[in-house]
Amino acid sequence: MTVETKLALTAEDVRSFSEAQGEPTWFAELRERALAEVENLDMVKPDKTNIEKWDFFNFPAHTVESDTYASLAELPEAVKQIVDVEGQQNVYIQRNNTPAFLQVTEELAAQGVIMTDIFTALKEHGELVQKFFMTEAVTVDEHKLTALHAALMNGGVFIYVPKDVEVAAPLQSVFYVDNADASLFNHVLIVADTNSKVTYVENYFSGVASNNTQANIVTEVIARDGAKITFGAVDTLDAGFTTYVNRRGETLRDAEIDWALGLMNNGDTIAESITHLRGDGSVADTKTVVVGSGKQNQNFTTEVRNWGKASLGNILTHAVVKDSARAIFNGIGKIEHGATKADAQQESRVLMLSKDARGDANPILLIEEDDVTAGHAASVGRVDEMQLYYLMSRGISRTDAERLIIHGFLEPVVSQLPIEGVKKQLIEVIEGKVK
Amino acid sequence: MSTLEIKDLHVSIEDKEILKGVNLTLNTNEVHAIMGPNGTGKSTLASAIMGHPKYEVTSGEILLDGENVLEMEVDERAQAGLFLAMQYPSEIAGVTNADFLRSAINARREEGDEISIMKFIKQLDKTMDFLEMPEEMGQRYLNEGFSGGEKKRNEILQLMMIKPKFAVLDEIDSGLDIDALKIVSKGINEMRGEGFGCLMITHYQRLLNYITPDHVHVMMQGKVVKSGGSELAQRLEAEGYDWIKEELGIKDTNAVVEEA
């Protein structure tokens, strides 16, 4: 049985939601067109995972109203663990669908950097948003879920870093869910203009058990000529979410995007992390860690596509699968015709911790140019008995030895996260999941 | 005083018998050396004492102060006071040397009584200094990318931090240049004394120039065939093993090939 694309919201609902947000006309129209297209478009097709019976369309509420926070001190304790209340300079907190707190330093504002919730951005920086919103990186009509996302977008953040500006301290977003009925059609749009530099870290964080709802997240990260973006994320959404999360990068000439992604959702998840190396000499490094547990079913596609000459793509995925969880890891390096001297490298390692767990690493290299370099390594296996023996011979119990090995295995991504609290949180999440 | 007794130990790997009745008794405050040609079961003995998963003890006993070691898991053996400096230590990516060592020390302490970070760092710095290891080696991942010599030195670092009752050193001298050999020996000599016993496995007399053993044993064909004092090692160095073979009527034809 196929779940029907029966939409919870009508065109009228979407129109009135858009009006209530005071959105510009072009955006209201974009929503309307998108909604009309959902029906006709194909479904997303994650390789090797059958999602026919997954429900991506039903949720208890499109938006829920939540109280805002007057200061970071009011944040729930759990959120304070990831936000440095004293030290974090620039931070956006979204509570369910409500922009709940924003702090941007004067210095940042003086540099012309924009950091604001997506609705404010639509009103105050409409032209900039219009230029980049689902135009370059992700497009509305890719498939049903991108169209649904555009039609129902109910939160997110916009960041713009002007030409030549280097933002020293990391910018942080926390998308916090504490209403069981909340859905997330969240849009993150980051544009780093020519020769600028920025570090951004986001958390999707659940403080409540959700009622069979949706997270449909689209993140567009655009590095213009010579720009560098460091992007960190830790997703820990509750099992009640069915998640489609699409993080897409675009690098122009000599630009670079480095991703460090801790994909630790507790529910069924389709995650795509794709970077298009459009410009010559541009670079993408995508490091991902995953722990699949319980009865989770997940599909991860990490792709770097080399269009530019001498562009460099690197993919590293380390994953642990336990209990009766299932996870597919598709790693794709694609070098387009004309991308001479391009390099596409990838490594996927999957550790299986129980006999009922299913993990599959699926490395793909598609090369349409001769003068290039490429390589891949993939493995699916168990914790190495010799490593366990070595650690145990020092008095460390089997359980602790296994834990050390797993933490070590996931370390290449953990160590890349630029905010200390988020790094610690990821370590704790891993600890909780592998225990 | 503690005693490690090995009684009529028979050990097989993949159904091939390597040890064919080894007898050996070690006390703390003693250093023993086991010598012998390649493939006579020396490393198998070391692995069997520690509980390597691939080696099967088919008969015999290993007792530590009367306790049956063979019934213990690998970590329990270590907790009971055994240590094996391995010939080929595992590399473990992502786990720093320091974190690993702290876990090993804390594994011996009660929950809530973990070693303080300050105290640990002080002890680690001091020991690394003693072994002339650069400070950054504490923050490097465990054995990953270490040279052969660095790995051996790191085994001795662990030995000195963990302070076991009995250490088995499996070819701790192999692949070391003379300077590294001196440092490794310095570490082992530092451990010598009351409460510490050591079993060194080596091909070469060279190591014994720096660490004078109290007892020397020769292994051939899966058995200890001769024991003596340090003069035995000197004679082996001068004359090789042939005289022992002759004396005992051992022929080479059925030499054991395996030496893991």
Side-chain angles (χ1 to χ4, degrees):
Chain A
M1 186 198 88
T2 310
V3 177
E4 293 211 2
T5 324
K6 209 179 115 210
L7 295 179
L9 271 70
T10 63
E12 184 52 41
D13 296 332
V14 170
R15 200 174 306 128
S16 59
F17 175 72
S18 179
E19 261 170 41
Q21 301 299 322
E23 289 172 1
T25 316
W26 70 266
F27 198 74
E29 286 170 2
L30 184 147
R31 284 187 186 274
E32 208 168 331
R33 276 198 312 275
L35 188 72
E37 282 184 57
V38 173
E39 199 70 39
N40 308 319
L41 288 165
D42 287 339
M43 191 53 187
V44 64
K45 290 189 186 66
D47 200 14
K48 292 191 192 288
T49 299
N50 184 348
I51 55 165
E52 267 181 30
K53 290 180 184 168
W54 295 32
D55 176 9
F56 290 94
F57 298 95
N58 292 295
F59 42 85
H62 176 238
T63 44
V64 294
E65 283 288 327
S66 307
D67 291 338
T68 61
Y69 302 110
S71 72
L72 290 176
E74 286 182 14
L75 290 178
E77 283 308 313
V79 181
K80 282 184 185 167
Q81 301 297 313
I82 48 181
V83 178
D84 178 0
V85 172
E86 304 293 322
Q88 182 61 33
Q89 298 175 342
N90 302 294
V91 56
Y92 168 64
I93 312 277
Q94 181 174 302
R95 185 175 187 183
N96 305 307
N97 312 116
T98 305
F101 182 82
L102 176 68
Q103 176 174 290
V104 177
T105 60
E106 278 177 26
E107 185 197 345
L108 198 74
Q111 286 178 309
V113 176
I114 300 166
M115 177 177 183
T116 185
D117 71 86
I118 196 83
F119 298 112
T120 303
L122 280 167
K123 281 180 275 189
E124 295 180 4
H125 310 283
E127 268 181 41
L128 262 180
V129 177
Q130 186 170 15
K131 186 170 172 197
F132 296 106
F133 187 95
M134 298 187 91
T135 55
E136 286 192 13
V138 178
T139 52
V140 172
D141 59 2
E142 285 185 18
H143 49 70
K144 277 190 198 306
L145 296 186
T146 48
L148 188 71
H149 171 88
L152 303 188
M153 189 198 77
N154 62 7
V157 70
F158 174 63
I159 289 167
Y160 175 78
V161 184
K163 190 168 177 264
D164 297 329
V165 170
E166 293 194 6
V167 181
L171 312 182
Q172 183 172 20
S173 292
V174 177
F175 304 102
Y176 176 56
V177 180
D178 68 350
N179 182 316
D181 289 342
S183 63
L184 288 173
F185 289 85
N186 221 54
H187 197 98
V188 175
L189 177 56
I190 301 175
V191 180
D193 219 326
T194 310
N195 294 326
S196 67
K197 201 170 170 183
V198 66
T199 297
Y200 169 83
V201 178
E202 64 181 15
N203 281 88
Y204 284 91
F205 191 87
S206 277
V208 70
S210 287
N211 292 330
N212 296 328
T213 187
Q214 302 299 325
N216 177 327
I217 297 162
V218 172
T219 299
E220 301 182 279
V221 179
I222 295 162
R224 314 274 286 173
D225 291 352
K228 181 172 179 185
I229 301 174
T230 304
F231 187 106
V234 176
D235 301 351
T236 53
L237 289 172
D238 180 71
F241 277 99
T242 299
T243 300
Y244 168 72
V245 53
N246 176 343
R247 292 190 170 97
R248 183 83 49 92
E250 287 267 326
T251 56
L252 303 191
R253 189 177 46 77
D254 296 324
E256 177 170 350
I257 302 178
D258 294 331
W259 306 85
L261 308 173
L263 305 182
M264 300 283 157
N265 285 340
N266 296 299
D268 293 349
T269 297
I270 303 295
E272 287 177 35
S273 320
I274 301 176
T275 305
H276 289 273
L277 299 171
R278 300 272 178 207
D280 295 349
S282 65
V283 176
D285 185 24
T286 313
K287 291 194 169 81
T288 308
V289 286
V290 170
V291 177
S293 62
K295 292 179 176 169
Q296 261 184 300
N297 193 352
Q298 301 189 90
N299 183 290
F300 302 88
T301 298
T302 310
E303 177 173 351
V304 176
R305 200 175 282 202
N306 301 65
W307 302 84
K309 291 181 173 54
S311 57
L312 311 176
N314 191 41
I315 293 171
L316 177 105
T317 302
H318 280 193
V320 171
V321 189
K322 56 176 282 197
D323 304 332
S324 55
R326 279 191 269 174
I328 302 287
F329 301 89
N330 299 310
I332 305 169
K334 179 153 199 244
I335 300 181
E336 300 289 344
H337 182 67
T340 49
K341 309 280 184 209
D343 184 37
Q345 301 294 335
Q346 60 166 300
E347 181 187 330
S348 300
R349 307 269 175 217
V350 183
L351 271 187
M352 314 275 270
L353 295 194
S354 61
K355 66 173 180 19
D356 293 331
R358 293 279 175 276
D360 194 7
N362 183 24
I364 301 164
L365 278 175
L366 303 163
I367 298 179
E368 306 194 350
E369 178 57 56
D370 292 330
D371 184 15
V372 299
T373 49
H376 65 79
S379 65
V380 178
R382 305 203 169 270
V383 175
D384 184 73
E385 276 299 319
M386 286 304 99
Q387 290 186 338
L388 281 174
Y389 168 60
Y390 185 67
L391 294 179
M392 288 172 74
S393 79
R394 300 320 188 225
I396 298 169
S397 69
R398 178 172 283 269
T399 318
D400 286 346
E402 211 172 74
R403 222 164 53 199
L404 269 177
I405 292 167
I406 291 165
H407 276 290
F409 176 68
L410 301 176
E411 170 69 11
V413 173
V414 175
S415 61
Q416 295 299 307
L417 285 167
I419 293 181
E420 206 49 40
V422 178
K423 191 186 289 187
K424 263 166 86 179
Q425 178 226 2
L426 180 56
I427 293 170
E428 276 165 30
V429 170
I430 291 168
E431 185 76 30
K433 280 182 182 264
V434 300
K435 158 175 96 186
Chain B
M1 189 187 78
S2 287
T3 306
L4 180 65
E5 292 170 277
I6 296 156
K7 294 183 178 171
D8 194 28
L9 191 69
H10 290 252
V11 176
S12 297
I13 180 164
E14 286 156 8
D15 292 331
K16 187 174 169 67
E17 187 167 64
I18 313 283
L19 297 190
K20 298 169 178 170
V22 172
N23 289 288
L24 205 61
T25 300
L26 273 83
N27 294 310
T28 44
N29 208 14
E30 291 176 3
V31 171
H32 293 240
I34 293 193
M35 305 186 69
N38 263 330
T40 51
K42 302 189 300 297
S43 285
T44 299
L45 175 62
S47 297
I49 293 171
M50 202 68 236
H52 188 296
K54 290 215 171 86
Y55 292 82
E56 190 196 349
V57 175
T58 50
S59 67
E61 283 183 304
I62 302 177
L63 303 171
L64 176 58
D65 294 331
E67 297 277 335
N68 185 352
V69 169
L70 296 176
E71 279 186 357
M72 301 178 189
E73 293 294 327
V74 177
D75 56 322
E76 292 168 335
R77 296 181 194 204
Q79 299 261 1
L82 299 180
F83 180 94
L84 170 60
M86 297 196 192
Q87 200 180 343
Y88 304 108
S90 286
E91 300 187 3
I92 299 175
V95 178
T96 66
N97 220 0
D99 280 350
F100 155 67
L101 267 170
R102 200 148 57 91
S103 300
I105 288 170
N106 283 333
R108 289 167 171 75
R109 301 166 71 113
E110 294 295 316
E111 220 177 306
D113 182 40
E114 287 86 1
I115 187 168
S116 82
I117 297 204
M118 285 310 294
K119 192 174 167 197
F120 170 74
I121 290 175
K122 228 172 116 182
Q123 202 176 320
L124 181 65
D125 283 351
K126 199 177 116 192
T127 315
M128 285 177 65
D129 202 42
F130 185 83
L131 294 172
E132 298 173 37
M133 293 168 78
E135 208 172 307
E136 49 100 21
M137 283 191 75
Q139 288 314 311
R140 279 174 64 185
Y141 294 150
L142 180 53
N143 292 324
E144 199 189 43
F146 283 25
S147 70
E150 284 174 331
K151 281 182 183 165
K152 300 289 178 169
R153 216 179 286 200
N154 206 39
E155 293 292 285
I156 300 303
L157 173 69
Q158 295 170 41
L159 170 70
M160 294 182 75
M161 293 291 287
I162 290 171
K163 300 185 178 65
K165 283 182 197 156
F166 288 101
V168 180
L169 313 176
D170 191 4
E171 298 196 16
I172 197 72
D173 52 338
S174 70
L176 292 185
D177 62 31
I178 198 77
D179 290 330
L181 182 65
K182 280 182 186 168
I183 291 167
V184 161
S185 305
K186 187 171 87 160
I188 297 162
N189 283 325
E190 179 74 11
M191 290 294 294
R192 264 185 117 146
E194 290 295 332
F196 178 72
C198 184
L199 182 63
M200 302 186 298
I201 289 169
T202 180
H203 286 298
Y204 306 107
Q205 142 76 20
R206 191 177 72 144
L207 175 68
L208 309 183
N209 292 337
Y210 299 96
I211 309 165
T212 313
D214 302 302
H215 302 275
V216 174
H217 312 277
V218 178
M219 263 185 88
M220 282 185 186
Q221 300 187 342
K223 285 182 178 181
V224 174
V225 294
K226 197 164 188 66
S227 296
S230 61
E231 75 290 341
L232 177 56
Q234 278 148 23
R235 185 165 176 203
L236 291 172
E237 173 75 359
E239 301 176 29
Y241 293 101
D242 286 348
W243 64 276
I244 298 182
K245 290 180 190 165
E246 243 165 67
E247 198 177 294
L248 300 172
I250 294 172
K251 293 193 182 77
D252 270 333
T253 47
N254 57 345
V256 180
V257 180
E258 215 288 323
E259 180 83 12

